[in-house]
Amino acid sequence: MPPSPSRSTAPAELPEVSVSDDGEVRHLHLGTPWIQGSMRIAAPFDLELEYIQRMMAWLLFVDPASVRERHAMQLGLGAGAITKFCHKKLRLCTTAIELNPQVLAVCRAWFKLPPDGPKLRVVLADAAQEIRKPMWLGTVDALAVDLYDHHAAAPVLDSETFYADCRALLTADGSMSVNLFGRSSRFEQSLEKMALAFGEDALWAFKPTREGNTVVLAQHTPTRFQRGEQAQRCADVQERWGLPTARWVRGLRPVRL
């Protein structure tokens, strides 16, 4: 695991974090009714939301035998779903960067987020600043970007410079998964910014979920599947880790700008 970073002090004005239960599912909120993350109470280390499941599409592009030796990083902890899945189910080195200490406290108290250990660390910091530290560069195999404020209107960080910083984190066969959602977010503009940072041929995208989340995958080194390879890899990921990948065979496609 990369060396321990110094923790920065979060701004004082941050939204209050709250929790609600809807039958068998628990939700995290940031001062509004908008759901910022969810967990099935009886299966706290599974991925409940469809778009979160799709953030794991990077698994299609790596050798399954190498997964446990890799490093995953999540920007924006949410309810900790990605961090928990990577740590508990994939068994890989996992780092999360979160600005709001309340989010971390609630995840530990209500969402079964394990304590920090040799292969799990949560860094309280501004993600835009933290990822520029030399210690992280070239160390991340799977980067998950899900950064929204309490209004959930548009990504908090969505610039060519930010995406270039994200690309600099990645290993040669690493990938970035981004959730694009919001009332004022503009999908095409976000794609153009990613294309400037990664190259147009490095981008893949799912169709939007029913809730309006579109997951985009950006590769450090662009690759393409051979005939039938995508279906086989989807089946393998489902068998190994239980992710519902049947729709990924036709649903994940290279981006055409």
Side-chain angles (χ1 to χ4, degrees):
M1 193 166 194
S4 296
S6 58
R7 296 196 173 199
S8 62
T9 303
E13 294 184 7
L14 292 171
E16 290 293 323
V17 182
S18 61
V19 175
S20 67
D21 285 354
D22 179 13
E24 299 176 349
V25 180
R26 178 165 295 161
H27 305 296
L28 181 141
H29 310 269
L30 298 179
T32 74
W34 287 98
I35 293 173
Q36 301 283 350
S38 299
M39 176 190 75
R40 186 160 295 274
I41 297 171
F45 302 112
D46 290 349
L47 299 178
E48 175 66 19
L49 300 178
E50 185 178 18
Y51 90 89
I52 294 290
Q53 295 167 358
R54 293 178 176 184
M55 299 279 278
M56 295 294 106
W58 63 270
L59 289 166
L60 302 178
F61 297 91
V62 300
D63 178 358
S66 72
V67 168
R68 288 196 180 190
E69 304 304 318
R70 294 178 179 271
H71 177 209
M73 178 178 283
Q74 180 178 3
L75 307 186
L77 184 60
I82 292 174
T83 294
K84 291 187 298 180
F85 184 83
C86 289
H87 177 60
K88 284 287 191 178
K89 295 298 183 76
L90 301 184
R91 301 289 183 180
L92 46 71
C93 172
T94 308
T95 303
I97 300 175
E98 170 57 46
L99 181 65
N100 191 338
Q102 283 190 50
V103 170
L104 175 56
V106 167
C107 283
R108 290 256 158 84
W110 294 97
F111 289 90
K112 302 292 185 180
L113 179 67
D116 284 5
K119 297 191 70 174
L120 174 65
R121 181 182 298 127
V122 180
V123 181
L124 288 173
D126 183 315
Q129 298 175 16
E130 183 66 28
I131 64 174
R132 290 184 172 181
K133 293 182 178 179
M135 64 190 301
W136 300 120
L137 301 184
T139 70
V140 180
D141 299 288
L143 177 66
V145 180
D146 194 9
L147 293 165
Y148 285 82
D149 64 12
H150 54 295
H151 297 294
V156 173
L157 298 174
D158 183 39
S159 68
E160 179 188 349
T161 298
F162 169 68
Y163 293 126
D165 289 341
C166 288
R167 186 177 186 275
L169 292 174
L170 299 179
T171 57
D173 62 348
S175 299
M176 173 185 74
S177 300
V178 181
N179 171 38
L180 296 178
F181 169 80
R183 299 183 299 279
S184 64
S185 63
R186 297 178 180 176
F187 180 68
E188 294 295 333
Q189 291 184 8
S190 294
L191 283 182
E192 290 172 0
K193 295 168 188 173
M194 288 185 216
L196 290 171
F198 281 82
E200 183 177 339
D201 59 347
L203 303 184
W204 299 71
F206 284 95
K207 296 178 180 179
T209 65
R210 287 171 299 193
E211 296 78 17
N213 300 84
T214 300
V215 171
V216 177
L217 187 85
Q219 296 180 287
H220 186 281
T221 304
T223 61
R224 290 291 182 267
F225 295 116
Q226 301 298 318
R227 183 181 296 274
E229 186 180 10
Q230 185 168 350
Q232 181 57 50
R233 293 200 176 195
C234 285
D236 189 42
V237 167
Q238 181 163 334
E239 182 179 356
R240 286 174 179 269
W241 296 296
L243 292 170
T245 59
R247 294 183 181 180
W248 295 11
V249 178
R250 296 184 179 274
L252 178 65
R253 287 289 181 261
V255 169
R256 300 283 184 247
L257 292 176

